[in-house]
Amino acid sequence: MFNIYLYGRYKKRVPFSYSAYENLLGKRFLIVNEAKFSDFIIVSNYKDVEQNQEFFSRTTKKNPNLKIVLFSEEPFWDTLSNYNTEEFFFTVDNGPLAGTKIFNINHQNCDVFDFNYIPYFLTTEASYITRYIFLLTNLLKLTPKMLLNHWDNADYQLGSLSEKRLGAHFDLYNSQKELIGLSRFRSTLAESYTGKKLVHGLGWSPTPRRQKLPDWHSDKISKYLNKSRYLSSIENTHLSNYMTEKLFDSFAVRSFPIYYSSPDHRIKDLISENSYLNLYGYDTHQSVKLIEKHTLSLINADSYLNDADRMLNLFTDCDYITDERFRFIDKVYRKFKKISEHR
């Protein structure tokens, strides 16, 4: 069994902190209350390494066998880091931690977050699946003709919910890993679109950070349910194996999803090409024009409802979600075992 200590400002964004996974740790991991009793100190954001070097230095001097792990579920954070998060570990160059190895677990450098049926993010809270089951069940009461009529008469042409990020430093690109920073792209898209739009998010409107809301996901659904023809479901980062709630939320609120996915992206395993508008390979100007000219048909509505039915079957079969969670813990344990054996 490995003793783990969760540390830092972002410690609630590490997989071990979610209740859905706490009960699955079993005899493999034990969360301890003091760093001195741990085998691993775990942080989830590179900033927690940068800003707490004194703490890590003191703690590792007391226990030289203690290892620090940057366990990141958020590729966006990794793209902003000055550290080499793509490798098994990186060595801190300066400061109190100079010469110390920090071990990486993230979407880029291993298969821990790869999924078979349901993306990792949806497995972290039971409320996501419960909410989708209810909303998809109601969606499937519509016929393709009714759904198309709903889209044609939507109050808004485009919906978008994301933090406004227009800085050039968000435009990261790594062709080998198909990693593309999309925060600026999706913000510019929302800003440039001239049709009737419903745009929320930090920087766009007086909206608190979602972490401050009692239930940010419920708040998002209530804002966009039955409101827009299209919904921007673009992730903040493109990786072929990385998906969050955004695509599924489009179906939950009955909007046609706008996504950004390469030919190798896992979206193809979940929905058909007629069920979303793909902006991959287009710049923001071209994307705006594409959205303006795009028309929805009964073919799209029929495909969309068929894919919604497939999603509902996934979510109502408990074996799928259980399998994803147990496989995840198995892979995490093997990864920590490998780190523990490193000298």
Side-chain angles (χ1 to χ4, degrees):
M1 176 183 285
F2 295 128
N3 291 343
I4 56 177
Y5 179 69
L6 310 183
Y7 183 75
R9 176 184 174 188
Y10 302 90
K11 65 181 180 181
K12 291 185 178 180
R13 291 287 305 277
V14 69
F16 294 117
S17 68
Y18 298 117
S19 58
Y21 281 104
E22 279 183 332
N23 297 329
L24 301 181
L25 300 183
K27 297 180 179 180
R28 298 181 177 185
F29 298 99
L30 176 66
I31 299 175
V32 297
N33 294 322
E34 294 185 59
K36 65 182 180 181
F37 297 130
S38 66
D39 302 302
F40 300 96
I41 297 180
I42 300 174
V43 296
S44 63
N45 188 308
Y46 72 94
K47 292 180 181 179
D48 285 332
V49 176
E50 290 181 344
Q51 298 169 4
N52 297 285
Q53 287 204 30
E54 290 285 355
F55 166 78
F56 290 123
S57 178
R58 290 195 309 270
T59 307
T60 52
K61 283 178 181 176
K62 293 177 182 177
N63 181 1
N65 294 321
L66 184 63
K67 290 182 169 63
I68 304 169
V69 179
L70 176 53
F71 194 174
S72 172
E73 65 176 20
E74 179 54 83
F76 172 69
W77 291 344
D78 302 330
T79 63
L80 300 180
S81 170
N82 291 321
Y83 299 125
N84 185 358
T85 57
E86 295 180 28
E87 301 300 328
F88 179 50
F89 66 86
F90 61 85
T91 303
V92 179
D93 293 330
N94 48 53
L97 269 185
T100 302
K101 292 178 181 177
I102 310 293
F103 294 88
N104 293 307
I105 302 177
N106 56 53
H107 285 269
Q108 295 184 69
N109 79 336
C110 65
D111 67 350
V112 163
F113 291 100
D114 290 357
F115 65 95
N116 279 352
Y117 310 105
I118 299 174
Y120 157 77
F121 187 85
L122 301 189
T123 71
T124 60
E125 296 288 346
S127 60
Y128 300 138
I129 302 298
T130 303
R131 191 168 288 131
Y132 289 144
I133 290 173
F134 173 76
L135 293 165
L136 292 175
T137 298
N138 286 330
L139 167 65
L140 289 168
K141 294 176 182 177
L142 302 181
T143 64
K145 188 174 181 179
M146 292 165 64
L147 179 60
L148 184 60
N149 182 65
H150 164 70
W151 287 336
D152 288 342
N153 292 283
D155 293 337
Y156 299 92
Q157 298 302 303
L158 176 67
S160 176
L161 175 63
S162 64
E163 185 171 338
K164 190 175 186 178
R165 295 180 173 124
L166 297 173
H169 61 290
F170 294 120
D171 286 340
L172 190 81
Y173 180 71
N174 183 329
S175 59
Q176 290 183 333
K177 293 183 177 292
E178 289 193 331
L179 185 149
I180 306 170
L182 294 174
S183 290
R184 187 186 189 194
F185 175 86
R186 67 184 186 184
S187 293
T188 305
L189 181 68
E191 186 176 61
S192 303
Y193 185 76
T194 57
K196 195 173 183 183
K197 57 191 177 184
L198 180 64
V199 181
H200 287 290
L202 201 64
W204 300 103
S205 57
T207 304
R209 289 189 180 276
R210 71 184 198 179
Q211 292 82 3
K212 300 291 185 181
L213 296 170
D215 187 336
W216 67 268
H217 191 241
S218 177
D219 182 76
K220 176 182 179 180
I221 297 298
S222 65
K223 277 186 170 72
Y224 288 89
L225 183 61
N226 293 322
K227 293 292 177 62
S228 64
R229 176 182 295 179
Y230 299 99
L231 183 66
S232 173
S233 304
I234 300 169
E235 306 288 357
N236 56 33
T237 309
H238 175 282
L239 280 170
S240 61
N241 67 335
Y242 176 62
M243 298 182 73
T244 63
E245 83 291 348
K246 295 176 181 60
L247 173 71
F248 304 92
D249 285 352
S250 289
F251 283 80
V253 302
R254 304 184 182 186
S255 295
F256 196 78
I258 294 174
Y259 208 71
Y260 190 104
S261 59
S262 65
D264 293 331
H265 197 279
R266 288 295 308 279
I267 191 175
K268 71 180 186 301
D269 298 322
L270 295 169
I271 63 174
S272 73
E273 61 182 12
N274 287 322
S275 296
Y276 70 108
L277 178 59
N278 189 2
L279 301 184
Y280 180 76
Y282 296 96
D283 62 27
T284 49
H285 176 74
Q286 294 169 331
S287 296
V288 169
K289 294 298 182 184
L290 185 62
I291 296 169
E292 290 174 343
K293 293 179 180 179
H294 192 260
T295 57
L296 296 172
S297 68
L298 284 173
I299 293 175
N300 299 118
D302 185 63
S303 175
Y304 182 98
L305 290 173
N306 284 335
D307 287 330
D309 187 53
R310 289 172 58 201
M311 287 182 188
L312 184 60
N313 288 332
L314 273 179
F315 296 148
T316 52
D317 189 334
C318 295
D319 287 343
Y320 288 116
I321 190 76
T322 301
D323 176 71
E324 293 291 352
R325 286 174 176 155
F326 276 104
R327 279 193 319 100
F328 179 79
I329 290 296
D330 285 342
K331 289 189 290 186
V332 169
Y333 178 75
R334 290 196 296 270
K335 192 69 176 177
F336 272 84
K337 192 171 187 300
K338 181 179 179 181
I339 294 172
S340 72
E341 293 168 351
H342 182 84
R343 296 292 181 265

